[in-house]
Amino acid sequence: MSDINSNDDNDNFFHRPPIVRFYPNSNTDSKVVATDENPIDEDETIIEPIHEPSLEIVGTAHISEKSVDSVRETIYERKPEIVAIELDWGRYQRLVEESNGIIREEKMDLKSILKSSNLIVTLVTAFLSNAQKRMGENVGVKPGSEMLEAAKIAQEVNAEIALIDRNIQVTLKRTINGMSLKEKLTFLYEVVVSFIFGDEEEEAVEEEIERLKQEDTIAEVMNYFKEASPGGYNALVHERDAYMAYNLKSLEDKNVVAVVGAGHKKGIMTFLENPETIPHIDTLNYIKESKFSITKIILYLIPVLFVLIFIVAFFQGINIEGGLINYLIFAGSGAFIGSLLSGSKIQSAIVAFLVAPITVIHPLLAAGWFSGLVEGKLRNVGFDDMHELADFESFGDLWHNQLFRVILVVIGTNLGCTIGVLITINNVFLPYLHSIFGI
């Protein structure tokens, strides 16, 4: 049903992007199928692509009916050999399957989702997808409609489809890694505010969407984004401009119509006019896993200091039995209460209480992982919960999603454990330090 050619053995700097033959509403690899009910009309004119190297970039708004019309008209007029769209393979496949009413069930790996970096990506993806979906519903256009229309018309004009965007998971991870703590907190605040106060009248939303396609407005929005979050802008916009320009450069010997978000058009054209500035695609796909960072150093130092303080206090003849008991109670109780307040079942809270004192002195473990895994088992979290995580209209809808409930338990447990440790520092370790060093 699908065929992808990535041309990885090309020795040139610019390698061709994935070329896809997987069309909406098509159940075979053939573009025309003859049946008794649907015979081929021999008199029907077959549209042939124009084989002249050229590039037309169509800037769109992802939930705009006018953008869909513009894409349709441009492809019919240009009759390209290749229609390049701002999607990666995973997003393209999901859009096609959703348009055909197909929900492909995947294996649910809860342990992987609950890892700190994946947990953030999961939540960000859900909230961003929900925001785009709600805006689309306001104007009656599903997000990605112009991309599906581009794929559909590509089939009609016998053009191939090139997927020129970077993998969404790579983009989100590089975006999060590139943002400072202040940028992340600001982004979280903006998401929550837009979720609570984001409803607007349909006409106002539609007018704003069309205004966002105007060049002056795009520049204004992009500059604001760049100033508000330089790290986020670099990974989410600038790098993807380079990535898509890289792929389009590899197609320069073809007649291409590229369908991209309006905010990317100028950046892509700038890179194409200065191809020597385009980084190699491997550098744009690299996800840096920092071995050393201030955060990691602190995470490793805290348990070491805790253990050292107990050892030094013991050798100086200080009775540490009460301190150890207080440490176990404060750390465990904090995790226990945090788990319960986040809506966990009692079994998960008990696990949180038991593992918290151990996870505090182990920098690679977190009490929330254990309580979250138990909660996921008790709630029987599955693929449906993952699939429906972005489909909510209120906090009540989120509360009824079992995966979101598990995520809340992870966050609540870790937060409670942290508070318990802070109480321990004040009531146990500071008095020990005073006794040991006289401070």
Side-chain angles (χ1 to χ4, degrees), residues 231-244:
Y233 174 88
N234 184 59
L236 204 57
V237 179
H238 185 69
E239 288 183 359
R240 288 174 62 214
D241 289 347
Y243 193 97
M244 289 188 279

Side-chain angles (χ1 to χ4, degrees), residues 24-140:
N25 304 317
S26 174
N27 293 320
T28 74
D29 289 333
S30 303
K31 293 182 181 179
V32 180
V33 181
T35 65
D36 292 337
E37 295 79 13
N38 183 33
I40 296 176
D41 185 352
E42 294 182 358
D43 295 328
E44 184 178 348
T45 301
I46 298 177
I47 301 175
E48 287 294 334
I50 297 175
H51 302 283
E52 294 180 2
S54 68
L55 173 63
E56 178 75 15
I57 299 179
V58 183
T60 70
H62 294 315
I63 50 173
S64 164
E65 184 62 40
K66 290 183 180 179
S67 288
V68 176
D69 294 338
S70 176
V71 167
R72 184 184 304 116
E73 293 168 3
T74 303
I75 295 176
Y76 276 139
E77 178 185 343
R78 306 284 297 192
K79 297 183 179 62
E81 297 172 85
I82 293 177
V83 174
I85 55 180
E86 184 197 322
L87 290 175
D88 64 350
W89 167 244
R91 283 183 292 157
Y92 177 71
Q93 188 178 37
R94 282 193 293 274
L95 280 175
V96 170
E97 290 175 347
E98 286 175 7
S99 72
N100 292 324
I102 299 172
I103 298 178
R104 188 182 299 276
E105 186 164 342
E106 301 171 4
K107 184 179 179 180
M108 179 71 177
D109 188 355
L110 185 61
K111 185 182 294 185
S112 176
I113 291 174
L114 297 186
K115 289 182 179 178
S116 57
S117 59
N118 291 344
L119 189 66
I120 295 172
V121 170
T122 298
L123 287 174
V124 169
T125 302
F127 275 93
L128 289 179
S129 298
N130 178 264
Q132 194 174 57
K133 177 184 174 184
R134 288 201 296 163
M135 290 179 68
E137 288 174 348
N138 283 338
V139 296

Side-chain angles (χ1 to χ4, degrees), residues 369-386:
W369 295 353
F370 294 92
S371 60
L373 288 173
V374 173
E375 190 73 15
K377 185 76 172 178
L378 294 172
R379 291 186 178 276
N380 195 28
V381 174
F383 171 77
D384 288 344
D385 300 298
M386 182 67 184

Side-chain angles (χ1 to χ4, degrees), residues 114-289:
L114 297 186
K115 289 182 179 178
S116 57
S117 59
N118 291 344
L119 189 66
I120 295 172
V121 170
T122 298
L123 287 174
V124 169
T125 302
F127 275 93
L128 289 179
S129 298
N130 178 264
Q132 194 174 57
K133 177 184 174 184
R134 288 201 296 163
M135 290 179 68
E137 288 174 348
N138 283 338
V139 296
V141 179
K142 291 189 68 174
S145 294
E146 85 282 21
M147 300 298 170
L148 280 179
E149 184 67 12
K152 177 182 176 183
I153 304 304
Q155 180 182 13
E156 295 180 11
V157 301
N158 288 304
E160 294 180 316
I161 303 167
L163 306 177
I164 61 172
D165 200 7
R166 183 169 61 184
N167 180 282
I168 184 63
Q169 296 300 318
V170 173
T171 293
L172 287 175
K173 286 182 179 180
R174 284 183 67 93
T175 300
I176 292 169
N177 289 344
M179 295 171 70
S180 66
L181 178 60
K182 180 181 178 181
E183 290 174 335
K184 291 174 183 176
L185 293 175
T186 301
F187 170 78
L188 179 63
Y189 171 78
E190 295 290 344
V191 167
V192 172
V193 168
S194 87
F195 172 62
I196 297 174
F197 303 106
D199 292 334
E200 300 180 44
E201 294 296 325
E202 179 177 328
E203 291 184 5
V205 172
E206 189 166 7
E207 288 176 4
E208 182 66 16
I209 288 169
E210 294 307 319
R211 192 177 74 86
L212 285 173
K213 292 194 294 182
Q214 298 173 12
E215 190 169 332
D216 291 342
T217 306
I218 292 171
E220 181 182 337
V221 171
M222 288 296 153
N223 285 333
Y224 172 77
F225 182 22
K226 190 174 183 179
E227 291 176 4
S229 178
Y233 174 88
N234 184 59
L236 204 57
V237 179
H238 185 69
E239 288 183 359
R240 288 174 62 214
D241 289 347
Y243 193 97
M244 289 188 279
Y246 178 104
N247 282 326
L248 289 174
K249 179 68 177 173
S250 73
L251 302 172
E252 62 184 355
D253 60 333
K254 301 291 185 180
N255 178 8
V256 179
V257 169
V259 182
V260 302
H264 291 289
K265 183 175 179 178
K266 183 178 179 181
I268 290 172
M269 292 177 65
T270 299
F271 275 116
L272 289 175
E273 291 166 0
N274 304 276
E276 71 280 358
T277 64
I278 302 176
H280 194 283
I281 205 163
D282 289 343
T283 66
L284 297 173
N285 278 324
Y286 178 67
I287 300 176
K288 183 179 179 181
E289 296 291 344

